Amino acid sequence: MVYHMPRTDLALEAHRVRAGAGRLEGVEVREGDRSGFHISTVEVRSPAASEELCKPIGIYHTVTLEPVLRREEAAFSSAVGLISGLIGDLLPKNDRFSALVVGLGNRAITPDAVGPKTAESVLATRHLRDQDASMFSAFRPVCVLSPGVLGTTGIEAARLVKAVTADLRPDVVIAVDALACSESERLCRTIQISDTGISPGSGVGNHREALDRDSLGIPVIVVGVPTVMDVSAISDAESMKGLFVTSRDIDTTVSDFSKLTGYAINLALQPELSIPDLDLLLS
Amino acid sequence: MVYHMPRTDLALEAHRVRAGAGRLEGVEVREGDRSGFHISTVEVRSPAASEELCKPIGIYHTVTLEPVLRREEAAFSSAVGLISGLIGDLLPKNDRFSALVVGLGNRAITPDAVGPKTAESVLATRHLRDQDASMFSAFRPVCVLSPGVLGTTGIEAARLVKAVTADLRPDVVIAVDALACSESERLCRTIQISDTGISPGSGVGNHREALDRDSLGIPVIVVGVPTVMDVSAISDAESMKGLFVTSRDIDTTVSDFSKLTGYAINLALQPELSIPDLDLLLS
Amino acid sequence: MVYHMPRTDLALEAHRVRAGAGRLEGVEVREGDRSGFHISTVEVRSPAASEELCKPIGIYHTVTLEPVLRREEAAFSSAVGLISGLIGDLLPKNDRFSALVVGLGNRAITPDAVGPKTAESVLATRHLRDQDASMFSAFRPVCVLSPGVLGTTGIEAARLVKAVTADLRPDVVIAVDALACSESERLCRTIQISDTGISPGSGVGNHREALDRDSLGIPVIVVGVPTVMDVSAISDAESMKGLFVTSRDIDTTVSDFSKLTGYAINLALQPELSIPDLDLLLS
Amino acid sequence: MVYHMPRTDLALEAHRVRAGAGRLEGVEVREGDRSGFHISTVEVRSPAASEELCKPIGIYHTVTLEPVLRREEAAFSSAVGLISGLIGDLLPKNDRFSALVVGLGNRAITPDAVGPKTAESVLATRHLRDQDASMFSAFRPVCVLSPGVLGTTGIEAARLVKAVTADLRPDVVIAVDALACSESERLCRTIQISDTGISPGSGVGNHREALDRDSLGIPVIVVGVPTVMDVSAISDAESMKGLFVTSRDIDTTVSDFSKLTGYAINLALQPELSIPDLDLLLS
């Protein structure tokens, strides 16, 4: 018997489909609250569990950001701190690593623009060290790349990232992408942070090549924002092909989550900076 | 017994819900093909039918634009010609009328931006006649206004249009707006042209005041593009509130339909111009 | 003998051309520093001085914003506080006035976009009071309008503002516009605040009708940012027609000054709000 | 004695400064008219002439596009045909070459955005052949890359292009960039096409590494649009630092020239396509 697995890039949702409220062998799920936000952590530990969930082995945090969306006071800075901490835990443990931040997706398609828009909020610092080693020596070297999409560049994003990685030799890649989810509770309200890279078919734009430790030789942290839900989750009519469900204020959602994600990445990479510093440096 | 009427701004869909494949007293429906496009025309003739359909008395053309979306050769110019003819039939019959074109909706929300974006493609000519009567005397005087939305201006769009209409005294208003539909067959694929004005609650942004002959004292032609479908059409879950269904390439759809609508309005108002003229004048 | 007066919208520069380091009968000039910023105030008091300077009778503050441009810490909030105070001094003295904020200029031309972009950062509140009087009763009623430019709307901006003012009856208009200056020291570095309205020929877009107390019947405060300098200030070659001097980072300048101006207007109109409140409400 | 050479990326202007109306040893200048446009061709032939003009050895066409700017009928298609022919003459002579089109400059700075904006109008076809060899076999394989600028990516554009070129092994690079000129007659009115690559210090953004046959191992054709003029050409005041002269309608200029350049590159690379084909494929 074949179970239908709806299209979702969230490990949490895949686990809910397979295990319901129960448990799955080889998967550990933890629920918790931190700084006023709910975090669900799914750890996929065995090849069998990975195959069952269609998700690579690794750790997946899903943070619910309702307080930010309700624009509660200080929610933005709390969320930046929390996400930045979750990313930081996945970064290399030495102090001298360099990073490449990759904004995946199509800037011209609103729900797919989270990656490129986040990239605009990430401080590139690699060239600063080259310019004045003493002044900027506190900064970790960071490069930022938005590789575009196959349809407009003719180059698979993963291939472009590989070429750049081979040339610049960063110690870690942080990739940001728009995701698809299967449950409206998570749509435009959550962020998933994982250490598993991007696998073929994930993301709103459906990448065809992997972007992970196997393909690049270095760790690939992925920060993803579910901005669309496939209508097949709610209807399987033929005329629904090419349609999706999204939030009424998708433009604001993409803008808010991109700033939030960008700031969190900056603080994870440059722990000596503060949010007001970033406000100054990025405006 | 109360029938549930799903949210739709298309008279054609309202009629389908109420009458199915049958007929409704006081409504005439005509189907036809012209220039390779299918046109459904619904004429609401009696107060009873108007109440039954929740649509003002008047004529509603719905044109299916599949050939344009498939980017068939010459489909754009055919569609511009067809829509421009349908608009032209609703315009005043004398040669000397002046027009106010109104782009309704929120420029910053992609599926609601059809109105303001169309306005960018409409030639304003009123001031040209004032500048050089002989050279531009062939142009009908046209003004173009994008009144914005209540949330960002503090002014109801209808009220702003009324104030401007009272001052400029145009002979006709052509309002352009994004619409909601209830069937995926029409989503991001059709244009509705009507002579009935905008009624409260219609449009993606849910206007609260009417913009019609009663409120303005002059005819109000409305060109509407269904860019969203309420998810209540397919699911009534609580968590679906604030979500909608739209097409995967909504950014392109809005851009294409806005240009198409703007060009059609220009040719209806200035019949001596051609599409290549507009390409030159509007770039 | 006729002195050539270079094109400038800054009273300070006009005074420098006419009076040099000296004094002009009917004009008072004060220089001072506040919150780390330099303020030059020119008060034009007599009809003769007004004619000599080609500037209406009234008060003109020019604030130099170098510390903001150097991105000094806290410079943004200091500047917002200072500008907001200067605007506040020109507002009606009673507590119950309502305001119309007008963003003049062309959104599609970068150096002319200061007005419309500032308008995007101003909170519209008039409709909130109508919606829930108790909750929002602390807010002064504010409307926001970007009337566009004659070339794309066919309506003189001043005429549109007049029609709206006649309808809504605000107690004061605050107009924001891009200005032309004649000296590079002030280009993209200063803000002028005046209580004199906009006169024909001023602004980057060269308005043809006045927007002032005479034409509207209520006070018109103008906040202007010099974003271009006429090349005639430095060269009178024929081939220089249609060219202007601007700063290399004009896009950033327009974006920064628009946010600064919008925030200052908000704090002047709603003194109970803070910058962090605005960050939340406007994002 | 040292002559001052004003900052210009146009070989034509450099030659005028050095040779006036006379001749320079090792340089050939040809003037001519084609399809209603004036073309000046400068051929730099000797190392001595190259040093004298601060321009690499090679051919430089400067086309004056006044008829396009005056929006004369058919001027756009004539100009596309002409520029496409000039580019075509510099392309490899075999039928099976592949190309990488590179849009240099900063998308967020209007006068520097010609490169990235042109890239948006270039058809990427490399992946189409991989997808369906039979259907798209008529297309030459083309990739399109906008590498961004050092300040926001941390990666020198030339280095990114080198890494991609090493990986994809195209036969030719076509780079598009905004240029600086020294004479207002050419500002925002001309296009320069050369076979010399980009040298350090050229372009509006001042690249620091070369992008040419020496660095990439393949021919590098450059299409450049002069969008700014250094004010040092007209004034050497200290306060003029960081300022430049540009046209009043720079936003329109950049948009028009980018479309023109993109279309010309497409027709040079895919001679079987027409302008209406491109209108369909690129919208």
Side-chain angles (χ1 to χ4, degrees):
Chain A
M1 179 179 167
V2 181
Y3 295 88
H4 170 67
M5 171 67 91
R7 166 86 196 281
T8 178
D9 297 316
L10 298 179
L12 179 66
E13 291 184 348
H15 182 262
R16 282 167 50 92
V17 169
R18 283 292 178 259
R23 299 197 140 270
L24 207 69
E25 178 77 25
V27 180
E28 191 185 312
V29 180
R30 292 185 298 274
E31 304 281 344
D33 288 281
R34 222 188 296 172
S35 317
F37 300 94
H38 187 76
I39 310 182
S40 306
T41 300
V42 174
E43 230 178 303
V44 180
R45 290 178 165 171
S46 70
S50 167
E51 196 170 328
E52 178 79 8
L53 298 183
C54 307
K55 295 280 164 282
I57 289 176
I59 196 160
Y60 302 81
H61 303 292
T62 304
V63 184
T64 303
L65 292 165
E66 297 281 6
V68 174
L69 303 173
R70 286 194 302 263
R71 302 201 177 286
E72 288 180 11
E73 216 180 314
F76 178 79
S77 59
S78 299
V80 168
L82 174 61
I83 307 283
S84 131
L86 293 172
I87 295 170
D89 290 345
L90 304 176
L91 286 172
K93 294 307 168 215
N94 71 73
D95 253 10
R96 313 178 139 270
F97 69 86
S98 65
L100 171 65
V101 178
V102 176
L104 296 166
N106 189 340
R107 185 190 305 276
I109 294 180
T110 306
D112 198 24
V114 167
K117 274 190 177 287
T118 296
E120 290 173 12
S121 289
V122 176
L123 272 182
T125 57
R126 176 177 162 274
H127 60 301
L128 298 177
R129 289 171 63 108
D130 294 350
Q131 281 168 13
D132 181 346
S134 61
M135 183 171 169
F136 298 110
S137 60
F139 282 132
R140 290 218 182 85
V142 174
C143 291
V144 182
L145 183 73
S146 288
V149 294
L150 186 62
T152 56
T153 66
I155 316 170
E156 180 81 19
R159 180 159 184 178
L160 187 50
V161 174
K162 265 183 240 184
V164 171
T165 304
D167 181 39
L168 295 176
R169 304 198 159 278
D171 299 296
V172 63
V173 163
I174 302 177
V176 183
D177 201 3
L179 303 180
C181 65
S182 63
E183 296 181 331
S184 52
E185 286 80 3
R186 265 160 290 279
L187 181 59
C188 295
R189 292 175 206 179
T190 51
I191 289 187
Q192 176 179 272
I193 299 113
S194 72
D195 64 353
T196 60
I198 294 268
S199 51
S202 63
V204 172
N206 278 347
H207 313 287
R208 300 186 307 181
E209 293 184 21
L211 204 63
D212 56 18
R213 186 189 282 266
D214 278 356
S215 63
L216 299 184
I218 51 174
V220 179
I221 300 169
V222 178
V223 186
V225 178
T227 57
V228 305
M229 184 167 86
D230 215 288
V231 285
S232 69
I234 44 176
S235 162
D236 52 6
E238 177 61 25
S239 65
M240 300 293 277
K241 289 270 167 65
L243 303 180
F244 58 60
V245 179
T246 189
S247 90
R248 195 166 285 276
D249 46 6
I250 179 66
D251 301 77
T252 308
T253 302
V254 166
S255 169
D256 285 358
F257 276 74
S258 298
K259 185 179 172 189
L260 176 58
T261 305
Y263 272 45
I265 291 173
N266 285 319
L267 295 195
L269 292 172
Q270 321 287 4
E272 64 287 351
L273 291 182
S274 66
I275 290 183
D277 290 340
L278 293 173
D279 283 338
L280 270 186
L281 290 167
L282 288 167
S283 69
Chain B
M1 180 181 167
V2 181
Y3 295 87
H4 170 67
M5 170 67 90
R7 166 84 196 281
T8 180
D9 296 316
L10 298 180
L12 179 66
E13 292 184 347
H15 182 262
R16 281 168 51 92
V17 169
R18 284 293 179 256
R23 299 199 140 267
L24 207 68
E25 178 76 25
V27 181
E28 191 185 312
V29 180
R30 291 185 298 274
E31 304 281 345
D33 288 281
R34 222 189 294 173
S35 317
F37 300 94
H38 187 76
I39 310 181
S40 307
T41 301
V42 173
E43 229 179 304
V44 180
R45 289 178 166 171
S46 70
S50 166
E51 195 169 330
E52 179 79 8
L53 299 183
C54 306
K55 294 282 165 281
I57 289 177
I59 195 160
Y60 302 82
H61 303 292
T62 304
V63 184
T64 303
L65 291 164
E66 297 281 6
V68 174
L69 302 172
R70 287 194 302 264
R71 301 202 179 286
E72 288 179 11
E73 217 182 311
F76 179 79
S77 58
S78 299
V80 168
L82 174 61
I83 307 283
S84 129
L86 293 172
I87 295 170
D89 290 346
L90 303 177
L91 285 172
K93 294 307 167 215
N94 72 72
D95 252 11
R96 314 179 137 267
F97 69 85
S98 65
L100 171 65
V101 178
V102 176
L104 296 167
N106 190 340
R107 185 191 307 276
I109 295 180
T110 306
D112 197 23
V114 167
K117 275 191 177 287
T118 296
E120 290 173 12
S121 290
V122 176
L123 273 182
T125 57
R126 176 176 161 276
H127 59 302
L128 298 178
R129 289 171 63 107
D130 295 350
Q131 281 168 15
D132 182 345
S134 61
M135 184 173 169
F136 297 109
S137 60
F139 283 132
R140 288 221 182 82
V142 173
C143 291
V144 183
L145 184 71
S146 288
V149 294
L150 186 62
T152 56
T153 66
I155 318 171
E156 179 81 18
R159 179 159 186 178
L160 187 49
V161 175
K162 264 184 240 182
V164 171
T165 303
D167 182 38
L168 295 178
R169 304 198 159 278
D171 298 297
V172 63
V173 163
I174 302 176
V176 183
D177 202 2
L179 303 180
C181 66
S182 64
E183 297 182 330
S184 52
E185 286 80 2
R186 265 161 291 280
L187 182 58
C188 295
R189 292 174 207 180
T190 52
I191 289 187
Q192 176 178 273
I193 298 114
S194 71
D195 62 355
T196 60
I198 295 267
S199 51
S202 63
V204 171
N206 277 347
H207 312 288
R208 300 187 308 181
E209 293 184 21
L211 205 61
D212 55 18
R213 186 190 281 266
D214 278 355
S215 63
L216 298 185
I218 50 173
V220 179
I221 299 169
V222 179
V223 185
V225 178
T227 58
V228 306
M229 185 167 85
D230 215 288
V231 284
S232 69
I234 45 175
S235 162
D236 53 5
E238 177 62 24
S239 66
M240 300 292 278
K241 288 271 165 65
L243 303 180
F244 59 60
V245 179
T246 189
S247 91
R248 196 165 284 276
D249 44 6
I250 178 67
D251 300 77
T252 309
T253 302
V254 166
S255 169
D256 286 358
F257 276 74
S258 298
K259 185 179 171 188
L260 176 59
T261 304
Y263 272 46
I265 290 173
N266 285 319
L267 294 195
L269 291 172
Q270 321 287 4
E272 64 287 351
L273 292 181
S274 66
I275 291 182
D277 290 340
L278 293 173
D279 283 340
L280 271 185
L281 290 166
L282 289 166
S283 70
Chain C
M1 181 178 166
V2 180
Y3 295 87
H4 172 67
M5 171 67 92
R7 166 84 196 282
T8 179
D9 296 317
L10 298 180
L12 179 65
E13 291 184 347
H15 182 262
R16 281 167 51 93
V17 169
R18 284 291 179 259
R23 298 199 141 267
L24 207 69
E25 178 75 27
V27 181
E28 192 185 311
V29 180
R30 292 184 299 273
E31 304 281 343
D33 289 281
R34 223 188 294 174
S35 316
F37 299 94
H38 187 76
I39 310 180
S40 305
T41 301
V42 173
E43 229 180 304
V44 179
R45 290 179 166 171
S46 69
S50 167
E51 194 169 328
E52 178 80 8
L53 298 183
C54 307
K55 294 280 165 282
I57 289 177
I59 195 161
Y60 302 82
H61 303 291
T62 304
V63 184
T64 303
L65 292 164
E66 297 282 4
V68 174
L69 302 173
R70 285 193 303 262
R71 302 202 179 284
E72 288 179 14
E73 216 181 312
F76 179 79
S77 59
S78 299
V80 168
L82 174 61
I83 307 283
S84 130
L86 293 172
I87 295 169
D89 290 345
L90 304 177
L91 286 173
K93 294 307 166 212
N94 72 72
D95 254 10
R96 314 179 138 267
F97 69 87
S98 64
L100 170 65
V101 178
V102 176
L104 296 167
N106 190 339
R107 186 190 305 276
I109 295 181
T110 307
D112 198 24
V114 166
K117 276 192 175 285
T118 296
E120 289 172 12
S121 288
V122 176
L123 274 182
T125 57
R126 175 175 162 275
H127 60 302
L128 299 177
R129 289 172 63 109
D130 295 349
Q131 280 168 14
D132 182 343
S134 61
M135 184 172 170
F136 297 109
S137 60
F139 282 132
R140 290 221 181 83
V142 173
C143 290
V144 183
L145 183 72
S146 287
V149 293
L150 185 62
T152 56
T153 65
I155 317 171
E156 180 81 18
R159 180 159 184 176
L160 187 49
V161 174
K162 265 182 240 184
V164 171
T165 303
D167 182 39
L168 295 177
R169 303 198 160 278
D171 298 297
V172 63
V173 163
I174 303 177
V176 184
D177 201 2
L179 302 180
C181 65
S182 64
E183 297 182 329
S184 52
E185 285 80 1
R186 265 160 291 279
L187 183 60
C188 294
R189 292 175 207 178
T190 52
I191 288 186
Q192 176 178 273
I193 299 113
S194 72
D195 62 355
T196 60
I198 295 267
S199 51
S202 64
V204 172
N206 278 348
H207 313 288
R208 299 187 308 181
E209 293 184 21
L211 207 62
D212 55 20
R213 185 190 282 265
D214 277 355
S215 62
L216 298 185
I218 50 174
V220 180
I221 299 170
V222 179
V223 185
V225 178
T227 58
V228 306
M229 183 167 85
D230 215 288
V231 283
S232 68
I234 44 175
S235 161
D236 52 6
E238 177 60 26
S239 67
M240 300 292 277
K241 289 270 166 64
L243 303 179
F244 58 62
V245 179
T246 189
S247 91
R248 195 165 286 276
D249 45 5
I250 178 68
D251 299 78
T252 310
T253 302
V254 166
S255 169
D256 286 359
F257 276 75
S258 298
K259 184 178 173 191
L260 175 60
T261 305
Y263 272 45
I265 291 172
N266 285 319
L267 295 196
L269 292 173
Q270 320 288 2
E272 64 287 351
L273 291 181
S274 66
I275 290 182
D277 290 339
L278 292 174
D279 284 339
L280 270 184
L281 291 167
L282 288 166
S283 70
Chain D
M1 181 179 165
V2 180
Y3 296 87
H4 170 66
M5 172 67 91
R7 167 84 196 282
T8 179
D9 296 317
L10 299 179
L12 179 65
E13 291 184 346
H15 182 263
R16 281 167 51 93
V17 169
R18 283 293 178 258
R23 298 198 141 270
L24 206 69
E25 178 74 28
V27 181
E28 190 185 313
V29 180
R30 289 184 300 274
E31 304 283 344
D33 288 281
R34 223 189 294 173
S35 318
F37 300 94
H38 187 76
I39 310 180
S40 307
T41 301
V42 173
E43 231 180 304
V44 180
R45 290 177 164 172
S46 70
S50 167
E51 195 169 326
E52 178 79 9
L53 298 183
C54 306
K55 295 280 165 283
I57 289 176
I59 195 161
Y60 302 82
H61 303 291
T62 304
V63 184
T64 303
L65 291 165
E66 297 281 5
V68 175
L69 303 173
R70 285 194 303 262
R71 303 202 177 286
E72 288 180 12
E73 217 182 311
F76 179 79
S77 59
S78 299
V80 167
L82 174 61
I83 307 283
S84 130
L86 293 172
I87 295 170
D89 290 346
L90 304 176
L91 286 171
K93 295 305 167 215
N94 72 71
D95 252 10
R96 313 179 138 269
F97 69 86
S98 65
L100 171 65
V101 177
V102 176
L104 296 167
N106 189 339
R107 185 191 305 277
I109 295 181
T110 307
D112 198 24
V114 167
K117 276 191 175 286
T118 296
E120 290 173 13
S121 289
V122 176
L123 273 182
T125 57
R126 176 176 161 273
H127 60 301
L128 298 178
R129 289 171 61 109
D130 295 351
Q131 281 169 14
D132 183 345
S134 62
M135 183 173 170
F136 297 108
S137 61
F139 283 131
R140 290 220 181 83
V142 173
C143 291
V144 182
L145 183 72
S146 287
V149 294
L150 185 62
T152 56
T153 66
I155 317 170
E156 179 82 18
R159 180 161 185 175
L160 187 50
V161 174
K162 265 184 242 184
V164 171
T165 303
D167 181 39
L168 296 177
R169 303 197 162 279
D171 299 296
V172 63
V173 163
I174 302 177
V176 183
D177 201 2
L179 303 180
C181 66
S182 63
E183 296 182 330
S184 52
E185 286 79 2
R186 266 160 290 281
L187 181 60
C188 294
R189 293 174 207 178
T190 52
I191 289 187
Q192 175 178 273
I193 299 113
S194 72
D195 63 355
T196 60
I198 294 268
S199 51
S202 63
V204 171
N206 278 347
H207 313 288
R208 299 186 310 180
E209 292 184 21
L211 206 62
D212 55 19
R213 186 190 282 264
D214 278 356
S215 63
L216 299 185
I218 51 172
V220 180
I221 299 169
V222 179
V223 185
V225 178
T227 58
V228 305
M229 184 168 84
D230 215 288
V231 284
S232 69
I234 44 175
S235 161
D236 53 6
E238 177 60 25
S239 66
M240 301 291 280
K241 289 269 167 66
L243 303 180
F244 59 59
V245 179
T246 190
S247 90
R248 195 165 286 276
D249 45 5
I250 179 66
D251 300 77
T252 309
T253 302
V254 166
S255 169
D256 286 357
F257 276 74
S258 298
K259 184 178 173 191
L260 175 60
T261 305
Y263 272 46
I265 291 172
N266 285 320
L267 294 196
L269 292 172
Q270 320 289 2
E272 64 286 352
L273 291 181
S274 66
I275 290 183
D277 290 340
L278 293 173
D279 283 339
L280 270 185
L281 291 166
L282 289 166
S283 69

